[in-house]
């Protein structure tokens, strides 16, 4: 246990993520102090995974803060919400101008803005930093999305670059995201894309397993094959391992014994709310949220099954061809999920003056984070070529990838729905694409309806100006 008073950084909070990040930092040769309100957690850490490590475990906040070199760098890894405010209040009396507080939790971006403004008067720098990668990522190298004053980031950069994941080309998966709450907003959207991605893979699994009748071993092999191609991603990779993982309490695959009831912690919902506030459509992500909510309605679904006869029909045909159709539908739908996320980031960048660099965000998402995927390299290149790109679906590279997949996409979604499958994210992605490719949508009727009952006016295609009709 290190006892000096010149440690470079401190970690406040020794839960799963805090402990893993502390070990990551120590493994890079960075002098570190740790503290947790409940000393029992601290003791478990220093007698367990931190045993023999060069870590100073403080028993009091005063001891913790005093062990750090100035200006102090403190990474808070605590539950988002009121707990963060409590921790800040406890730390404030011990801090001095120039010290840096880093919130590495999933805080709502509006809370981050509020905390930055409050601490600015005290001369304390506040960095809202998105951290993605889960327990393993935190330990071996996460994707880091810090936002706040750029000067504070530059001071933190040497440490953050050392502990961040490395992309396939070796570059650290960390970058200065932007001012104010930019880091937490980007992490929030990352999680929204993650919701969409997970639901899409779930729907592909459903079609393979129960539409085509594949065994869990066969589905695993399909996912492994997809992961060797353009669908290569962390989520497809782990899904290939999950679907045929044996049940240690019985026979067969563990997945077949797990309840189909998904939980959520809020960041996906925040993404949906932010999109509504900014007037940006993200139907794939919203449908994934609704799908999780529907999965929780167990009693309602049980009752409805008795009335409407639950279950699905087999999708008949050439198995190899149908697997290819599902693969194409997953790729196309997945692309829509990412496209919607980047459109939302662009809107937020303008509204909140974040100055986001989409190419850089896509680049750091290539490693460490949950949504890391092979085609993020191409997404980064697309925004390098055109920093003002309105939508990934109109990029030349992605439009060329998408066009040949559209017939298979339409066909498998149509057949799946006809067979009784629940495909909310795939159908939302397809509807998003179909709407985007049409120059004119039937919203002219909506506008006429609004003018009829509320005199909201409308615009015409054949002449300039704003019009109102006395419909009655």
């Amino acid at each position: 246990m290190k006892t000096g008073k010149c440690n470079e950084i401190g970690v406040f909070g020794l839960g799963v993520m805090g402990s893993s990040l502390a070990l990551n930092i120590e493994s890079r040769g960075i002098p570190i102090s740790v503290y947790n309100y409940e000393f029992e957690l601290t003791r478990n850490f220093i007698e367990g995974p931190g045993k023999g490590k060069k870590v100073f475990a403080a028993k009091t906040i005063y001891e913790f803060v005093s062990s750090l070199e100035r200006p102090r760098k403190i990474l808070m890894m605590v539950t988002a919400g009121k707990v963060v405010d409590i921790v800040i209040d406890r730390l404030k009396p011990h801090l001095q101008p120039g010290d840096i507080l880093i919130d590495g939790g999933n805080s709502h971006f509006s809370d981050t803005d509020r905390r930055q403004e409050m601490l600015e008067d005290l001369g304390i720098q506040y960095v809202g930093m998105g951290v993605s990668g889960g327990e393993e990522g935190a330990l071996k190298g996460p994707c880091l999305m810090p936002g706040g004053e750029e000067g504070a980031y530059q001071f933190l950069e040497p440490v953050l670059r050392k502990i961040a994941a490395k992309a396939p080309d070796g570059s650290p998966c960390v970058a200065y995201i932007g001012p104010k709450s930019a880091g937490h907003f980007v992490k929030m959207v990352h999680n929204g894309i993650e919701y969409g991605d997970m639901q899409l893979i779930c729907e592909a699994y459903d079609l393979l397993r129960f539409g085509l009748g594949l065994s869990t071993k066969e589905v695993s092999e399909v996912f492994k094959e997809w992961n060797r191609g353009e669908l290569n991603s962390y989520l497809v990779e782990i899904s290939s391992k999950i679907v045929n993982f044996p049940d240690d309490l019985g026979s067969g695959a563990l997945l077949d014994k797990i309840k189909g009831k998904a939980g959520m912690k809020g960041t996906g919902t925040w993404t949906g709310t932010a999109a509504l506030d900014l007037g940006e459509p993200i139907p794939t992500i919203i449908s994934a949220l609704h799908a999780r909510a529907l999965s929780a309605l167990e009693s309602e679904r049980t009752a409805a099954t008795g009335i409407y006869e639950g279950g699905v029909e087999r999708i008949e045909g050439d198995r190899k061809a149908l697997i290819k159709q599902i693969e194409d539908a997953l790729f196309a739908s997945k692309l829509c999920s990412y496209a919607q996320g980047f459109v939302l980031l662009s809107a937020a960048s303008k509204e909140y003056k974040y100055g986001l660099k989409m190419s850089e965000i896509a680049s750091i998402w290539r490693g460490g984070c949950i949504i890391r995927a092979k085609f993020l390299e191409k997404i980064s290149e697309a925004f390098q070529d055109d920093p003002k790109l309105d939508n990934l679906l109109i990029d030349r590279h992605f439009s060329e990838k998408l066009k040949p997949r559209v017939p298979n996409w339409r066909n498998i979604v149509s057949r799946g729905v006809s067979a009784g499958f629940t495909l909310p994210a795939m159908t939302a992605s397809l509807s998003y694409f179909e709407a985007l490719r049409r120059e004119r949508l039937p919203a002219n009727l909506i506008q006429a309806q609004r003018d009829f009952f509320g005199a909201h006016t409308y615009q015409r295609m054949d002449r300039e100006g704003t019009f109102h009709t006395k419909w009655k």
Side-chain angles (χ1 to χ4, degrees):
M1 181 191 298
K2 187 166 182 175
T3 59
K5 293 190 176 182
C6 58
N7 287 348
E8 190 170 347
I9 190 168
V11 174
F12 191 117
L14 290 172
V16 173
M17 290 294 286
S19 297
S20 297
L21 278 169
L23 292 171
N24 181 351
I25 293 168
E26 190 276 341
S27 72
R28 315 295 173 176
I30 300 169
I32 179 176
S33 299
V34 298
Y35 175 77
N36 197 85
Y37 273 136
E38 298 176 17
F39 189 71
E40 185 180 349
L41 276 181
T42 307
R43 183 184 293 110
N44 291 342
F45 175 76
I46 59 176
E47 293 179 356
K51 189 174 183 178
K53 307 292 184 183
K54 294 181 179 179
V55 176
F56 172 58
K59 294 182 179 179
T60 66
I61 290 181
Y62 174 78
E63 192 178 38
F64 172 66
V65 175
S66 298
S67 71
L68 302 173
E69 65 182 18
R70 292 203 59 211
R72 302 176 183 92
K73 301 185 283 287
I74 298 174
L75 172 58
M76 299 181 296
M77 296 302 300
V78 297
T79 306
K82 292 182 179 179
V83 176
V84 179
D85 292 310
I86 293 170
V87 169
I88 292 172
D89 286 341
R90 298 283 176 86
L91 284 169
K92 269 194 307 185
H94 306 281
L95 301 178
Q96 294 172 291
D99 290 346
I100 304 172
L101 283 182
I102 311 150
D103 178 5
N106 280 329
S107 290
H108 192 276
F109 68 96
S110 63
D111 286 335
T112 302
D113 284 327
R114 171 178 57 79
R115 291 163 185 151
Q116 284 175 347
E117 290 176 10
M118 180 263 293
L119 290 168
E120 187 177 20
D121 294 336
L122 302 175
I124 298 168
Q125 300 282 351
Y126 192 81
V127 174
M129 183 171 73
V131 179
S132 180
E135 180 181 359
E136 183 179 7
L139 181 63
K140 299 179 180 178
C143 173
L144 301 172
M145 297 156 259
E149 288 294 329
E150 190 167 7
Y153 169 73
Q154 289 171 351
F155 197 77
L156 296 169
E157 186 177 32
V159 171
L160 299 183
R161 287 176 66 87
K162 285 180 182 177
I163 68 172
K166 302 300 182 288
D169 61 2
S171 59
C173 294
V174 60
Y176 173 64
I177 299 299
K180 302 188 292 185
S181 55
H184 275 148
F185 193 97
V186 168
K187 174 55 166 46
M188 178 190 73
V189 174
H190 164 285
N191 286 17
I193 295 171
E194 178 186 312
Y195 271 57
D197 219 351
M198 292 172 74
Q199 177 63 29
L200 288 167
I201 295 170
C202 169
E203 292 172 19
Y205 157 77
D206 202 20
L207 289 169
L208 292 168
R209 183 86 170 88
F210 303 105
L212 275 56
L214 271 60
S215 66
T216 55
K217 183 178 180 181
E218 289 172 320
V219 175
S220 175
E221 291 303 316
V222 169
F223 280 165
K224 286 177 184 176
E225 180 62 30
W226 288 355
N227 199 51
R228 288 190 280 267
E230 290 182 300
L231 278 172
N232 173 267
S233 67
Y234 173 72
L235 286 171
V236 171
E237 177 189 349
I238 66 169
S239 297
S240 72
K241 298 173 181 178
I242 291 169
V243 291
N244 197 43
F245 193 85
D247 181 8
D248 58 351
L249 298 179
S251 59
L254 174 60
L255 186 60
D256 288 341
K257 312 296 194 325
I258 297 176
K259 275 190 173 185
K261 181 180 178 180
M264 49 184 169
K265 291 187 175 179
T267 48
T269 304
W270 295 347
T271 308
T273 302
L276 290 170
D277 289 341
L278 292 166
E280 292 297 335
I282 55 167
T284 307
I285 296 169
I286 294 292
S287 67
L289 288 169
H290 289 167
R292 291 198 188 191
L294 278 166
S295 75
L297 303 180
E298 292 182 290
S299 60
E300 291 93 330
R301 288 187 288 110
T302 299
T305 299
I307 298 170
Y308 299 108
E309 298 182 0
V312 292
E313 299 174 3
R314 280 290 177 85
I315 301 173
E316 303 295 341
D318 181 85
R319 178 181 283 191
K320 188 175 180 180
L322 289 169
I323 290 173
K324 176 65 171 121
Q325 288 182 18
I326 298 170
E327 179 184 12
D328 285 348
L330 180 56
F331 178 91
S333 300
K334 183 184 177 84
L335 177 58
C336 286
S337 184
Y338 281 74
Q340 291 162 29
F342 277 97
V343 168
L344 179 56
L345 288 176
S346 179
S349 185
K350 294 172 186 174
E351 179 69 20
Y352 305 129
K353 297 180 173 55
Y354 287 149
L356 301 179
K357 297 176 182 177
M358 304 303 163
S359 177
E360 198 163 49
I361 291 169
S363 182
I364 66 171
W365 281 353
R366 291 177 302 153
C369 71
I370 302 301
I371 65 169
R372 59 186 184 265
K374 182 178 181 180
F375 68 12
L376 276 163
E377 182 76 46
K378 293 298 181 182
I379 291 177
S380 181
E381 290 176 7
F383 284 111
Q384 278 181 1
D385 294 341
D386 182 5
K388 296 182 179 180
L389 179 65
D390 289 326
N391 194 300
L392 285 169
L393 300 190
I394 58 177
D395 171 71
R396 182 185 59 81
H397 169 80
F398 286 113
S399 62
E400 289 177 355
K401 292 289 183 182
L402 193 56
K403 281 188 282 189
R405 289 177 161 90
V406 172
N408 278 349
W409 189 13
R410 288 172 176 155
N411 187 61
I412 199 64
V413 169
S414 175
R415 293 197 64 183
V417 170
S418 295
F421 282 87
T422 308
L423 305 174
M426 281 192 183
T427 52
S429 289
L430 183 56
S431 294
Y432 179 79
F433 165 76
E434 302 291 21
L436 203 63
R437 70 174 184 82
R438 290 184 66 185
E439 190 170 356
R440 188 180 184 192
L441 294 171
N444 55 338
L445 177 56
I446 293 174
Q447 200 59 17
Q449 290 168 337
R450 294 179 73 242
D451 190 55
F452 187 104
F453 64 70
H456 292 292
T457 72
Y458 58 88
Q459 293 175 316
R460 295 177 62 101
M461 298 176 63
D462 56 355
R463 64 187 70 176
E464 295 294 326
T466 300
F467 299 86
H468 167 60
T469 294
K470 293 182 179 180
W471 300 90
K472 299 176 183 178

